[in-house]
Amino acid sequence: MNANTTLTLTNITTSIKKPLVLTMKFCPCPSPPPTSPISSIRSSCRRRRTRSLPPSLVIQDTSTTTAAASDIDTDSLSVSRRLILLRHAKSSWDDRSLRDHDRPLSKSGELDAAKVSQKLQQLGWIPQLILSSDALRTKQTLKIMQQQVPDFLDAEVHFISSFYSIAAMDGQTADHLQQAICNYSRDDILTVMCMGHNRGWEEAASMFSGDSIELNTCNAALLEAAGKSWEEAFASAGPGGWKLQAIVKPSDSPML
C-alpha cells in the first residue's frame, strides 16, 4: 500500500448522491532503536530488585507475638505456700536445777519427734526453711527429725532467740512469726516450718486459720495460703484466711 492511497466509499442510502471520498495516509511506524548493552543491564537489575527477599532477610512484625508471650510470666503467678507450726517435743523435768531454756527432751519426747518427722514425710510436707527457737528442747527435736528423715537436712535453718520469749506474750506471736518468715524466706521457698512453744504457737495457729487449735507437745499445724511471695500470702489471707490442712500428732493419723 502506497503512502497516498484513495479509498472510495459509496453510501447505499438514496439521500447521498455523491460518492464520499476519504483520503488516508499510511505512515509506517519507525523501528525501535537498538538496545544498548548498558540499558539491558539496568533493566535486568530493576527486575531483580522486585523479586522476593530470601526468608532470612525478611523482617516480620513480631510486636503482637512478643506482647502475647510477655503476658505469660511464670514469676508473677500465685503459688501455694505451706506453713508448719510445730511445738517442740516433750521435755524432761528430771533436773530441777536447769533453767527452763536448757531442759532436754524426755525419752518419750525423742520417740515423738521421730514419729512426727515420718508423718510429715509421708504427707510430703518437707520444709525448705526452718525457723526455730534456740531453746535446747527445740534444737533436740529438730536434730532427731533430721536423723530420722534426711530430707530435713536440706532445709535452711535459723535459730531465733526471740521465738523462746515471744511465745509467752499474749497476742504477739502471730505477728512476730509473720515478720520472721518474710525476713528469712525467698519467693522460691514454698514450705516453711516454725518450731517453738506454747502459748504462742497454738495462739498463732488459731489466728492464722480462724479455727480454735490446740497444739500439744510435738503437734504440728499444717497451714496453706496462696501468693506470689510470702508477703502477699500473708496480706491476701489476712487473719483467719490460712487453710488448716491437718494437725499432725505422733500418736495417731493426721487430723484432716
Short mmCIF file of all heavy atoms in Angstrom, two decimals, residues 177-205:
data_model
loop_
_atom_site.label_atom_id
_atom_site.label_comp_id
_atom_site.label_asym_id
_atom_site.label_seq_id
_atom_site.Cartn_x
_atom_site.Cartn_y
_atom_site.Cartn_z
N LEU A 177 5.96 -14.12 114.07
CA LEU A 177 6.26 -15.19 113.11
C LEU A 177 6.17 -14.69 111.68
O LEU A 177 7.01 -15.03 110.84
CB LEU A 177 5.31 -16.37 113.33
CG LEU A 177 5.48 -17.19 114.61
CD1 LEU A 177 4.43 -18.30 114.68
CD2 LEU A 177 6.88 -17.78 114.70
N GLN A 178 5.14 -13.90 111.39
CA GLN A 178 4.99 -13.36 110.04
C GLN A 178 6.20 -12.52 109.65
O GLN A 178 6.73 -12.66 108.53
CB GLN A 178 3.72 -12.52 109.96
CG GLN A 178 3.51 -11.86 108.60
CD GLN A 178 2.20 -11.09 108.52
OE1 GLN A 178 1.27 -11.34 109.29
NE2 GLN A 178 2.13 -10.13 107.62
N GLN A 179 6.67 -11.67 110.54
CA GLN A 179 7.83 -10.84 110.25
C GLN A 179 9.08 -11.68 110.03
O GLN A 179 9.88 -11.42 109.11
CB GLN A 179 8.04 -9.84 111.39
CG GLN A 179 6.95 -8.78 111.51
CD GLN A 179 7.13 -7.90 112.74
OE1 GLN A 179 8.17 -7.95 113.41
NE2 GLN A 179 6.13 -7.09 113.04
N ALA A 180 9.25 -12.71 110.85
CA ALA A 180 10.44 -13.56 110.72
C ALA A 180 10.41 -14.35 109.41
O ALA A 180 11.43 -14.47 108.72
CB ALA A 180 10.52 -14.52 111.91
N ILE A 181 9.26 -14.87 109.05
CA ILE A 181 9.14 -15.65 107.81
C ILE A 181 9.43 -14.76 106.60
O ILE A 181 10.18 -15.14 105.70
CB ILE A 181 7.74 -16.28 107.71
CG1 ILE A 181 7.56 -17.35 108.77
CG2 ILE A 181 7.51 -16.87 106.32
CD1 ILE A 181 6.13 -17.83 108.95
N CYS A 182 8.85 -13.58 106.57
CA CYS A 182 9.07 -12.67 105.44
C CYS A 182 10.51 -12.20 105.38
O CYS A 182 11.04 -11.92 104.31
CB CYS A 182 8.12 -11.48 105.52
SG CYS A 182 6.38 -11.90 105.29
N ASN A 183 11.16 -12.13 106.54
CA ASN A 183 12.55 -11.68 106.58
C ASN A 183 13.53 -12.74 106.09
O ASN A 183 14.48 -12.44 105.37
CB ASN A 183 12.91 -11.26 108.01
CG ASN A 183 14.31 -10.70 108.12
OD1 ASN A 183 14.75 -9.93 107.27
ND2 ASN A 183 15.03 -11.09 109.15
N TYR A 184 13.29 -14.00 106.46
CA TYR A 184 14.24 -15.06 106.14
C TYR A 184 13.92 -15.82 104.85
O TYR A 184 14.80 -16.47 104.28
CB TYR A 184 14.31 -16.07 107.30
CG TYR A 184 15.09 -15.58 108.49
CD1 TYR A 184 14.45 -15.03 109.59
CD2 TYR A 184 16.49 -15.68 108.53
CE1 TYR A 184 15.16 -14.58 110.70
CE2 TYR A 184 17.20 -15.24 109.63
CZ TYR A 184 16.54 -14.68 110.71
OH TYR A 184 17.25 -14.24 111.80
N SER A 185 12.68 -15.77 104.39
CA SER A 185 12.30 -16.59 103.24
C SER A 185 12.58 -15.87 101.93
O SER A 185 12.88 -14.68 101.89
CB SER A 185 10.81 -16.95 103.32
OG SER A 185 10.02 -15.78 103.15
N ARG A 186 12.46 -16.64 100.85
CA ARG A 186 12.54 -16.12 99.48
C ARG A 186 11.31 -16.61 98.73
O ARG A 186 10.62 -17.52 99.17
CB ARG A 186 13.81 -16.61 98.79
CG ARG A 186 15.10 -16.26 99.51
CD ARG A 186 16.30 -16.79 98.72
NE ARG A 186 16.22 -18.23 98.49
CZ ARG A 186 16.64 -19.15 99.35
NH1 ARG A 186 17.18 -18.80 100.52
NH2 ARG A 186 16.53 -20.44 99.06
N ASP A 187 11.08 -16.03 97.56
CA ASP A 187 9.89 -16.40 96.81
C ASP A 187 9.92 -17.86 96.35
O ASP A 187 8.87 -18.49 96.17
CB ASP A 187 9.73 -15.49 95.58
CG ASP A 187 9.37 -14.06 95.97
OD1 ASP A 187 9.09 -13.84 97.16
OD2 ASP A 187 9.40 -13.18 95.09
N ASP A 188 11.12 -18.42 96.16
CA ASP A 188 11.21 -19.80 95.68
C ASP A 188 11.06 -20.81 96.81
O ASP A 188 11.00 -22.01 96.56
CB ASP A 188 12.53 -20.03 94.94
CG ASP A 188 13.74 -19.81 95.84
OD1 ASP A 188 13.70 -18.88 96.66
OD2 ASP A 188 14.73 -20.55 95.71
N ILE A 189 11.01 -20.36 98.05
CA ILE A 189 10.77 -21.25 99.20
C ILE A 189 9.26 -21.37 99.40
O ILE A 189 8.58 -20.38 99.65
CB ILE A 189 11.43 -20.70 100.47
CG1 ILE A 189 12.96 -20.78 100.33
CG2 ILE A 189 10.98 -21.49 101.70
CD1 ILE A 189 13.72 -20.20 101.50
N LEU A 190 8.75 -22.58 99.29
CA LEU A 190 7.30 -22.80 99.34
C LEU A 190 6.82 -23.42 100.65
O LEU A 190 5.63 -23.38 100.94
CB LEU A 190 6.87 -23.68 98.16
CG LEU A 190 7.22 -23.13 96.77
CD1 LEU A 190 6.72 -24.09 95.69
CD2 LEU A 190 6.64 -21.74 96.56
N THR A 191 7.73 -24.03 101.42
CA THR A 191 7.34 -24.65 102.69
C THR A 191 8.27 -24.19 103.80
O THR A 191 9.49 -24.37 103.70
CB THR A 191 7.37 -26.20 102.58
OG1 THR A 191 6.54 -26.61 101.50
CG2 THR A 191 6.86 -26.83 103.87
N VAL A 192 7.70 -23.61 104.84
CA VAL A 192 8.46 -23.10 105.98
C VAL A 192 7.95 -23.79 107.25
O VAL A 192 6.74 -23.96 107.43
CB VAL A 192 8.30 -21.57 106.12
CG1 VAL A 192 9.01 -21.07 107.37
CG2 VAL A 192 8.86 -20.86 104.87
N MET A 193 8.87 -24.18 108.12
CA MET A 193 8.49 -24.74 109.41
C MET A 193 9.03 -23.84 110.52
O MET A 193 10.22 -23.51 110.55
CB MET A 193 9.03 -26.16 109.60
CG MET A 193 8.61 -26.80 110.93
SD MET A 193 8.93 -28.58 111.03
CE MET A 193 10.72 -28.59 111.18
N CYS A 194 8.13 -23.44 111.43
CA CYS A 194 8.50 -22.66 112.60
C CYS A 194 8.33 -23.53 113.84
O CYS A 194 7.25 -24.09 114.07
CB CYS A 194 7.63 -21.41 112.72
SG CYS A 194 7.88 -20.21 111.39
N MET A 195 9.40 -23.64 114.65
CA MET A 195 9.39 -24.51 115.82
C MET A 195 9.49 -23.65 117.07
O MET A 195 10.36 -22.78 117.18
CB MET A 195 10.57 -25.49 115.76
CG MET A 195 10.58 -26.35 114.51
SD MET A 195 12.04 -27.42 114.42
CE MET A 195 11.83 -28.43 115.89
N GLY A 196 8.56 -23.90 118.02
CA GLY A 196 8.57 -23.08 119.21
C GLY A 196 7.75 -23.65 120.35
O GLY A 196 7.69 -24.87 120.53
N HIS A 197 7.08 -22.76 121.07
CA HIS A 197 6.49 -23.10 122.37
C HIS A 197 5.05 -22.60 122.46
O HIS A 197 4.63 -21.72 121.72
CB HIS A 197 7.33 -22.46 123.49
CG HIS A 197 8.81 -22.64 123.33
ND1 HIS A 197 9.51 -23.66 123.94
CD2 HIS A 197 9.74 -21.94 122.61
CE1 HIS A 197 10.79 -23.57 123.63
NE2 HIS A 197 10.95 -22.53 122.82
N ASN A 198 4.35 -23.14 123.41
CA ASN A 198 3.02 -22.62 123.79
C ASN A 198 3.20 -21.58 124.89
O ASN A 198 4.23 -21.60 125.58
CB ASN A 198 2.12 -23.77 124.28
CG ASN A 198 1.27 -24.31 123.14
OD1 ASN A 198 1.27 -23.76 122.03
ND2 ASN A 198 0.55 -25.36 123.41
N ARG A 199 2.31 -20.65 125.06
CA ARG A 199 1.01 -20.46 124.45
C ARG A 199 1.09 -19.99 123.00
O ARG A 199 0.15 -20.13 122.24
CB ARG A 199 0.21 -19.40 125.23
CG ARG A 199 -0.34 -19.82 126.54
CD ARG A 199 -1.16 -18.70 127.22
NE ARG A 199 -0.55 -17.40 127.20
CZ ARG A 199 0.22 -16.91 128.20
NH1 ARG A 199 0.49 -17.69 129.24
NH2 ARG A 199 0.71 -15.70 128.14
N GLY A 200 2.17 -19.36 122.68
CA GLY A 200 2.24 -18.61 121.43
C GLY A 200 1.96 -19.39 120.17
O GLY A 200 1.31 -18.88 119.26
N TRP A 201 2.40 -20.66 120.13
CA TRP A 201 2.30 -21.40 118.87
C TRP A 201 0.85 -21.77 118.55
O TRP A 201 0.41 -21.61 117.42
CB TRP A 201 3.21 -22.63 118.91
CG TRP A 201 4.40 -22.45 118.01
CD1 TRP A 201 4.75 -23.21 116.94
CD2 TRP A 201 5.40 -21.42 118.10
NE1 TRP A 201 5.90 -22.74 116.35
CE2 TRP A 201 6.32 -21.63 117.04
CE3 TRP A 201 5.61 -20.34 118.95
CZ2 TRP A 201 7.43 -20.81 116.82
CZ3 TRP A 201 6.73 -19.51 118.74
CH2 TRP A 201 7.60 -19.74 117.69
N GLU A 202 0.12 -22.27 119.52
CA GLU A 202 -1.28 -22.60 119.21
C GLU A 202 -2.12 -21.33 119.07
O GLU A 202 -3.09 -21.31 118.31
CB GLU A 202 -1.87 -23.53 120.27
CG GLU A 202 -1.99 -22.96 121.67
CD GLU A 202 -2.54 -24.00 122.66
OE1 GLU A 202 -2.55 -25.21 122.31
OE2 GLU A 202 -2.94 -23.61 123.78
N GLU A 203 -1.71 -20.27 119.71
CA GLU A 203 -2.39 -18.99 119.53
C GLU A 203 -2.18 -18.47 118.11
O GLU A 203 -3.12 -18.00 117.45
CB GLU A 203 -1.85 -17.97 120.54
CG GLU A 203 -2.47 -16.59 120.45
CD GLU A 203 -1.78 -15.60 121.38
OE1 GLU A 203 -0.69 -15.10 121.00
OE2 GLU A 203 -2.29 -15.35 122.48
N ALA A 204 -0.95 -18.56 117.60
CA ALA A 204 -0.66 -18.12 116.23
C ALA A 204 -1.39 -18.99 115.21
O ALA A 204 -1.95 -18.48 114.23
CB ALA A 204 0.84 -18.15 115.98
N ALA A 205 -1.40 -20.30 115.43
CA ALA A 205 -2.11 -21.20 114.51
C ALA A 205 -3.59 -20.87 114.46
O ALA A 205 -4.21 -20.90 113.38
CB ALA A 205 -1.90 -22.65 114.94
#
